[in-house]
Amino acid sequence: MKKSFVIKGDICYCQSLENLLTIKDGFLVCQDGISQGAFANLPDQYSDFELLDFSNMLIIPGLVDLHLHGPQNHYKGLGMDLELLDWLNTYTFPEEAKFKDLDFAMDKYRLFVEEIKRSPSTRLSIFASLHLPATILLMDLMEESGLISYVGRVNMDRNGGADLEEDSAEDSVNTTLAWLEAVKAKGYERTFPIITPRFIPSCSDQLMDSLSKIRSSYKLPVQSHLSENQGEILWVQDLCPGSKSYADAYDQFKMLGFQGLKTIMAHCVWTSPEEEELLKDKDVFVAHCPDSNTNLSSGIAPIRRFLDNGLKLGLGTDVGAGSSLSIFKAMVDAIQVSKMYWRLVDQNAKALSAKEAFYLGTLGGGEFFGKLGSFAEGYEFDCLVVDDSRFSPWSEWNIEERLERVIYLAQDSDLVSKFVRGRKIF
Ligand code: GUN
Ligand code: FE
């Protein structure tokens, strides 16, 4: 697969939260999967690279989904009249338990991976379930897809009910170690393990302590859920009477950033100022999941405050509490809930602009994967080619205006081409 080429088209990417760079009829150079930059005129040194001509189409970085659940895709959009804990017990735990059956898992994970392959995401951080064979199967399928992802086998040794609970902390630890060894033997190039305690109510102190040690010795990132729902938060206070806050309950086990290892915490809707300080100190990536937070009536995360205070922030679809795999939709939802927050909660919290939401879905979340989410020189070359001609006749709008319309209107079928680290997916 050739990974050095030039793309011609209408280029658009974020340089920072405030700065969007656009080039009409520009050239993007990809060399061995790495961007060499975006140019108005093609530098001579690249003149013999293959030219892929996407003139008049919008060329943007691949989108990043920092939080979603593979085994929840097949029933997304169900039980949306419930709040988190009832939704978990009524739909999620019974459905996830079915992934014990590898045929069932194959059927559902195949469709899931096909769907995300067609979606605007090029990078994802995915929760699997607690089942080892099904988690390896999902990782095999992700590797085959060409997308780059972290996938976590979920740990849960309490409060999962009869069908979705590991026998003991020891059992959960042993399965985790077996999973990590199996992953090592597979030698994946694009699919990486991430330690995944479901949330505090699912994991005993003994399990959290052991997972923390595993994370340190294997040098792995962590993902989990934090401060999503008020009933959940009260439950965590009961379960961890010695902790100062929900975030502190993770930090006591060194599950937030530690030894330079990264952490993603999904939701952070009800994060207190002290928790926010802790998340900032530990360089935790907050995965903002506005679709899910609305569906489960969880609340509105204070995103403007997080941005003003310099937290690391990206977007998550949180399928299946989120009902769509599109990070374009997550951008729209993030803008819309930020307007409601401004109108109803805090008139000092300026609503997000389309440009800022685009930043969150590209550079913001991209940082979790390293140099990602921009076409600046040295960034990994993840790229989407969008044909927006059906809703933005290109003579009428400038590139920034077209981008806004793409965010609101684009469907998977408007994506003409998708590249991940220079590799063409379609
Ligand atoms: N908290 C613990 N598990 C889950 C889950 O599967 N989805 C959501 N939205 N929150 C959770
Ligand atoms: Fe989630």
Side-chain angles (χ1 to χ4, degrees):
M1 177 75 61
K2 234 189 188 166
K3 289 189 185 166
S4 296
F5 51 85
V6 174
I7 283 182
K8 180 169 184 227
D10 298 338
I11 298 164
C12 182
Y13 66 95
C14 287
Q15 295 174 300
S16 66
L17 183 63
E18 293 84 21
N19 289 318
L20 188 77
L21 189 140
T22 64
I23 308 177
K24 175 76 189 148
D25 294 323
F27 298 88
L28 267 184
V29 179
C30 172
Q31 186 164 24
D32 296 326
I34 304 295
S35 177
Q36 305 302 303
F39 306 95
N41 299 296
L42 185 64
D44 282 349
Q45 70 204 92
Y46 305 119
S47 57
D48 59 345
F49 278 29
E50 182 190 2
L51 180 74
L52 307 176
D53 191 348
F54 294 113
S55 289
N56 296 322
M57 296 191 190
L58 201 63
I59 316 290
I60 61 175
L63 307 189
V64 179
D65 190 342
L66 276 190
H67 181 74
L68 74 166
H69 299 256
Q72 297 179 12
N73 186 54
H74 68 280
Y75 67 93
K76 59 187 185 293
L78 184 63
M80 306 275 92
D81 50 343
L82 299 176
E83 286 194 51
L84 174 67
L85 300 176
D86 287 337
W87 175 77
L88 287 175
N89 288 320
T90 309
Y91 291 106
T92 300
F93 291 172
E95 283 307 310
E96 277 195 32
K98 295 178 185 169
F99 285 72
K100 183 176 179 187
D101 174 350
L102 209 53
D103 290 334
F104 181 90
M106 177 64 94
D107 192 38
K108 304 304 183 227
Y109 277 156
R110 256 210 194 116
L111 291 172
F112 169 64
V113 174
E114 269 171 36
E115 216 179 320
I116 48 181
K117 205 169 154 177
R118 288 292 319 167
S119 84
S121 295
T122 58
R123 311 260 174 158
L124 310 97
S125 190
I126 306 173
F127 279 53
S129 63
L130 60 76
H131 310 95
L132 171 52
T135 301
I136 294 288
L137 171 65
L138 176 58
M139 294 181 87
D140 286 346
L141 292 169
M142 284 307 299
E143 181 75 7
E144 242 173 71
S145 75
L147 307 184
I148 295 179
S149 62
Y150 286 93
V151 176
R153 189 195 81 83
V154 173
N155 296 93
M156 40 195 309
D157 71 339
R158 64 180 181 187
N159 297 317
D163 297 327
L164 198 70
E165 197 174 285
E166 299 176 286
D167 290 342
S168 62
E170 198 177 28
D171 176 48
S172 182
V173 166
N174 288 339
T175 312
T176 300
L177 292 171
W179 166 58
L180 293 174
E181 289 308 313
V183 168
K184 228 188 237 174
K186 287 274 183 180
Y188 298 124
E189 289 177 18
R190 296 177 276 279
T191 315
F192 309 104
I194 179 166
I195 296 294
T196 305
R198 179 172 214 118
F199 64 159
I200 292 276
S202 297
C203 298
S204 65
D205 288 3
Q206 189 192 337
L207 177 54
M208 289 297 267
D209 191 42
S210 303
L211 290 178
S212 171
K213 290 181 177 126
I214 293 173
R215 156 200 180 59
S216 253
S217 69
Y218 280 78
K219 308 237 171 303
L220 295 174
V222 170
Q223 59 181 355
S224 196
H225 297 91
L226 175 62
S227 296
E228 175 177 2
N229 166 287
Q230 289 174 318
E232 171 209 22
I233 293 168
L234 289 175
W235 193 14
V236 171
Q237 276 171 9
D238 268 358
L239 289 167
C240 307
S243 64
K244 290 187 275 250
S245 64
Y246 196 161
D248 184 53
Y250 286 112
D251 193 46
Q252 287 185 346
F253 296 105
K254 303 188 173 68
M255 283 298 203
L256 303 184
F258 179 63
Q259 297 173 337
L261 302 169
K262 290 175 180 162
T263 301
I264 298 172
M265 283 291 161
H267 303 290
C268 302
V269 172
W270 299 103
T271 304
S272 66
E274 298 77 42
E275 282 187 296
E276 202 176 313
E277 256 329 286
L278 190 54
L279 298 180
K280 186 180 173 182
D281 264 12
K282 303 285 177 177
D283 284 330
V284 171
F285 285 79
V286 173
H288 178 39
C289 305
D291 187 13
S292 162
N293 294 341
T294 303
N295 289 336
L296 298 183
S297 309
S298 299
I300 308 178
I303 289 312
R304 175 61 64 193
R305 203 178 77 208
F306 290 165
L307 286 173
D308 287 348
N309 291 341
L311 269 71
K312 293 186 188 297
L313 199 59
L315 296 175
T317 58
D318 196 24
V319 157
S323 54
S324 163
L325 287 167
S326 171
I327 288 289
F328 283 136
K329 175 166 175 3
M331 292 177 192
V332 174
D333 295 334
I335 295 165
Q336 290 179 338
V337 300
S338 75
K339 290 178 180 173
M340 291 298 113
Y341 193 85
W342 169 75
R343 174 68 68 192
L344 302 173
V345 183
D346 178 2
Q347 277 75 55
N348 294 316
K350 192 156 68 79
L352 288 183
S353 64
K355 192 165 69 176
E356 289 173 321
F358 184 58
Y359 166 88
L360 293 180
T362 54
L363 253 190
E367 194 188 336
F368 182 76
F369 290 84
K371 289 190 89 170
L372 193 86
S374 155
F375 292 133
E377 187 184 353
Y379 275 71
E380 292 188 50
F381 194 89
D382 284 20
C383 169
L384 300 176
V385 179
V386 189
D387 180 355
D388 60 336
S389 56
R390 83 183 164 86
F391 45 82
S392 279
W394 36 69
S395 56
E396 284 183 31
W397 312 109
N398 67 36
I399 292 178
E400 185 169 345
E401 290 168 331
R402 283 169 56 194
L403 174 70
E404 183 176 1
R405 305 201 74 220
V406 161
I407 290 171
Y408 277 85
L409 302 176
Q411 304 291 316
D412 290 355
S413 53
D414 298 311
L415 302 179
V416 169
S417 204
K418 170 158 151 178
F419 297 83
V420 180
R421 206 190 272 152
R423 186 173 197 258
K424 190 168 195 235
I425 304 299
F426 58 80

